Amino acid sequence: MKVKDNGIHIDGIDKKILRALMEDARTPILEIARNVGISGAAIHQRLKKLEKSGLLAGSKFILNPKALGYTTMAFVGIYLDKAMSNPEAVKQLQKIPEVIECHYTTGNWSIFIKILCKDNEHLMHVLNSEIQSIKGVSRTETFISLQEQINRQIKL
């Protein structure tokens, strides 16, 4: 059965390949080929097709922030003076290495960010000295994550 979403065709074999790689991107292609029942060359061709379609956005190693001493994760809602400040504020946020995600949002905040810090003192420094000093930022609202409960990709 072929599934078509946004012009991308994915069949059952594609799904098996993708599920294996989503579970462990270091799984050897030949091991996936044996489990799926097709050749390694066919796996490569299918991956190239999926990459070309835009479905695959790349592969990466994921660092464990706690191993680097980053134990405080927070989400910060940023209120801006004017909507016109958004692009400039985002440019300034990009310069802060602790900011790991940034989203324009609906609702009360103009921007919502995710930040990683070594501890609460580090978080307070980033908020007070870096984020709140950005031109156009009127105030922030911070939520400290106590523990991440779910971290996953979309299911195939």
Side-chain angles (χ1 to χ4, degrees):
M1 177 174 97
K2 285 202 175 226
V3 176
K4 185 179 178 183
D5 287 315
N6 297 330
I8 300 171
H9 298 279
I10 307 168
D11 64 17
I13 293 173
D14 291 333
K15 285 184 178 183
K16 286 180 183 177
I17 295 166
L18 291 170
R19 284 186 190 119
L21 291 171
M22 286 169 65
E23 191 169 314
D24 183 357
R26 294 177 293 183
T27 305
I29 296 296
L30 290 177
E31 183 180 323
I32 296 170
R34 271 193 303 278
N35 293 336
V36 174
I38 62 175
S39 72
I43 299 279
H44 279 289
Q45 288 173 343
R46 285 173 174 267
L47 287 173
K48 283 216 181 301
K49 174 194 77 167
L50 292 169
E51 199 170 349
K52 203 174 194 178
S53 75
L55 179 69
L56 298 179
S59 60
K60 58 185 173 185
F61 284 98
I62 300 167
L63 299 176
N64 177 358
K66 288 181 180 167
L68 296 170
Y70 289 83
T71 59
T72 299
M73 179 185 297
F75 299 89
V76 182
I78 300 175
Y79 295 85
L80 297 176
D81 293 334
K82 299 179 188 118
M84 289 171 45
S85 305
N86 283 3
E88 187 54 38
V90 170
K91 260 191 220 172
Q92 296 306 310
L93 288 166
Q94 284 178 326
K95 295 177 183 176
I96 303 170
E98 292 86 355
V99 175
I100 58 172
E101 287 184 26
C102 179
H103 305 266
Y104 288 133
T105 62
T106 60
N108 294 329
W109 311 297
S110 304
I111 298 173
F112 195 68
I113 62 172
K114 179 178 176 180
I115 61 178
L116 265 174
C117 294
K118 293 191 179 264
D119 52 32
N120 287 354
E121 189 176 323
H122 182 201
L123 172 62
M124 194 166 80
H125 169 78
V126 171
L127 288 169
N128 294 337
S129 301
E130 299 188 51
I131 294 171
Q132 291 174 351
S133 68
I134 294 172
K135 188 176 185 228
V137 171
S138 60
R139 67 187 179 102
T140 60
E141 195 170 335
T142 304
F143 306 89
I144 296 174
S145 171
L146 299 175
Q147 185 178 49
E148 183 178 85
Q149 297 296 303
I150 299 171
N151 182 343
R152 63 180 172 207
Q153 293 193 61
I154 196 77
K155 189 175 179 184
L156 283 177

